Amino acid sequence: MFNQLLLVAASLAATLPLAIAAPAAAAGPSSASGNPIPNKTTSSPRVTHTVVAGRPGLRFDPENIVATKGSIVEFHFLPANHSVVEAAFDAPCVPKDADSSFYSGFFPVSRNPDGSVRQSGEVFQIEVKDDKPVWFYCAQNNGQHCQSGMVGAINQDFNSAKTLAAFRRAAAGVSGPAGVKDQVQGGWRGPNPNPNGGF
Ligand SMILES: *[C@@H]1O[C@H](CO)[C@@H](O)[C@H](O)[C@H]1NC(C)=O
Ligand SMILES: *[C@@H]1O[C@H](CO)[C@@H](O)[C@H](O)[C@H]1NC(C)=O
Ligand SMILES: [Cu+2]
């Protein structure tokens, strides 16, 4: 009995930091409800695709994602300060002009004291809404991440000319800064449910 109480207390304590962190994360102007995108209640759970931003260097890993409708792409962020923004194929480094397009905001994260890499305590999740190609980039202009090739695709059509390689070539030619949205939108930003994801 006593042991059970201790266990309950321990698990409560373990969940508290998350409970406190959640409202802080949701305090920003986010389109999200403040909760992670839930698993489907019927059939099988959603598949989650983990993408790491900033490894290796100015890249998303993987940068070419194949994901079925209804699955989740969860972005994890390494040092120093990356983001993910949806773009249209024809306009890399520019936020897609749609209320439903996604923008994660920036995720500043420092290295561990011993110099090793760690990931941000927050992630950004999006839901794959259909099987059309989705294009994205990092909007960090300190180092021109988008122009340097920090771009990616979900469900590119390998049989068309609109490939990730073509998107990256176009991004390299963009002059002027990469753009951001006014606020986090189009996905859920919150505590990292899987701090070792992608490692
Ligand atoms: C979704 O389901 C998977 C597999 O059962 C589980 O690992 C994950 O924690 C669940 N996520 C949520 C948000 O419930
Ligand atoms: C992260 O990068 C953004 C965009 O360059 C910048 O506005 C923000 O101040 C940076 N945050 C930190 C902590 O460096
Ligand atoms: Cu970046």
Side-chain angles (χ1 to χ4, degrees):
M1 177 62 185
F2 185 61
N3 278 343
Q4 276 176 351
L5 277 176
L6 272 182
L7 273 177
V8 169
S11 63
L12 271 178
T15 56
L16 266 177
L18 279 179
I20 291 165
S30 169
S31 66
S33 62
N35 291 314
I37 298 167
N39 278 325
K40 288 177 183 168
T41 49
T42 55
S43 69
S44 50
R46 294 175 190 268
V47 173
T48 298
H49 303 267
T50 300
V51 176
V52 180
R55 188 198 61 191
L58 302 185
R59 286 287 185 276
F60 291 98
D61 180 24
E63 57 186 16
N64 173 29
I65 299 126
V66 177
T68 52
K69 180 181 171 185
S71 58
I72 291 169
V73 179
E74 183 176 281
F75 292 92
H76 292 235
F77 295 87
L78 299 187
N81 189 0
H82 299 287
S83 64
V84 60
V85 194
E86 185 173 358
F89 178 83
D90 297 321
C93 312
V94 176
K96 191 171 177 183
D97 183 21
D99 292 342
S100 61
S101 73
F102 59 81
Y103 169 56
S104 70
F106 284 87
F107 289 69
V109 50
S110 51
R111 287 174 174 258
N112 289 315
D114 68 0
S116 60
V117 163
R118 65 190 170 105
Q119 56 175 271
S120 171
E122 284 189 299
V123 297
F124 185 67
Q125 291 183 339
I126 58 157
E127 179 181 9
V128 177
K129 296 188 207 91
D130 52 41
D131 55 9
K132 296 196 189 87
V134 173
W135 308 94
F136 59 84
Y137 63 94
C138 173
Q140 181 55 263
N141 286 308
N142 183 4
Q144 294 206 309
H145 292 201
C146 182
Q147 292 90 337
S148 300
M150 194 165 181
V151 297
I154 303 169
N155 296 333
Q156 67 172 301
D157 178 358
F158 292 94
N159 296 317
S160 84
K162 295 188 173 185
T163 61
L164 178 56
F167 186 66
R168 173 169 286 134
R169 273 195 302 276
V174 169
S175 56
V180 297
K181 286 273 190 182
D182 291 340
Q183 51 183 248
V184 175
Q185 67 171 59
W188 174 78
R189 175 171 173 149
N192 191 334
N194 180 18
N196 293 316
F199 281 85

